[in-house]
Amino acid sequence: MIDTATSVRLVDQYCHGVLRAELGLGTFETYLGPAAGAPPASGTTFFDTQTGFAVRRWCPPLLGLEPHCPPAHYLARRRELGVVEAGRRLLRGTGIVTYLVDTGLPGDLAGPAEIAAAGEAEAREIVRLELLAEQVADTSGTVESFLANLAEAVHGAAGSAVAFTTVGAGAQVGGRPEPPGPGEVRGAAGRWLGERRVGDPPTDPVLLRHLLWVAVATGLPLQLHVGVRDPMLLADFAAATAGLGTDLVLLHGYPHHRSAAHLASTHPHVYADLGPALAQTGARAAAVLAETLELAPFGKLLFSTGARGLPELHVVGARTFRDALSQVLGGWVAEGAWSRTDAERVATMLASGNAGRVYRLGSGG
């Protein structure tokens, strides 16, 4: 085992806010599933997943309970402490020193400042491009004003945000990675503005590609949600953005983590996210981490929790990452394949150093 891996400081390079409300068993467990808010199949529970078991392993001791206690006992203790105190104990038990928070999800979620205070950490905002486009559309009366205001809003956000992120746009650049022409953009914007209802995100492929390229022009890192798609679909976009000064970060590549690692290995400005694949795979996280380290240079991989809604998911992401890192690197040191010095250096790179460089966090990050 590598001691540094279990105590290394962490920069969570992608996560969401935590819920402010008390949760019952049914609501709590929906956040353990692959899509927050979706219930488990009748007669089953999301506690019976690798993520659910990891929550029961790592979180109860932070609230004064034994590991692996029954879910009902855990949630009773959580309610006894209250959502604020439970969240404080959980976030402060992660070892995360900086949270980069995507503020684009709906719901009663704590923002970066609240997470920073609860976790005794720093927090910075990641701006979601689709939400920014919605906000601009709500206050723009014409296509021309919308496009002008959108460009201004994106460049304005770049002054305070640490990165941009997009959920849908990355899926639209497969065969046409280049920026769309002005006429295409005006047509797409007109169609969306004419049909949208308040709260509807942009879905037109041309408009989403335009959003990507407006963000690229700022030079701020751009996070692309991969989801269950093969990240190699973004290879043409990666090639088109090479040399422009904007780093691309591929989020949530599991189960295509090998492809994400390969794409990061072939483009200097492309990076791959390690989370929340490790939290999802739980007891098998070391195997997934080892597979990713087979392909990508170690300076191209970034830790995150990908947590949403529950502070428990921040804990699981952090503890699972540390445990997997200790197993993998410690094993290689024991075999004589790596020196301890190199293992400790790489552990620090993955945990915080790479994120500090990509997001220009300075020594505090």
Side-chain angles (χ1 to χ4, degrees), residues 81-122:
L81 290 170
V83 66
V84 173
E85 176 62 15
R88 186 186 68 84
R89 294 190 185 193
L90 291 164
L91 292 176
R92 294 183 185 185
T94 62
I96 295 171
V97 298
T98 304
Y99 295 89
L100 307 187
V101 185
D102 175 0
T103 55
L105 283 184
D108 187 23
L109 299 174
E114 294 170 88
I115 292 175
E120 287 189 326
E122 296 184 3

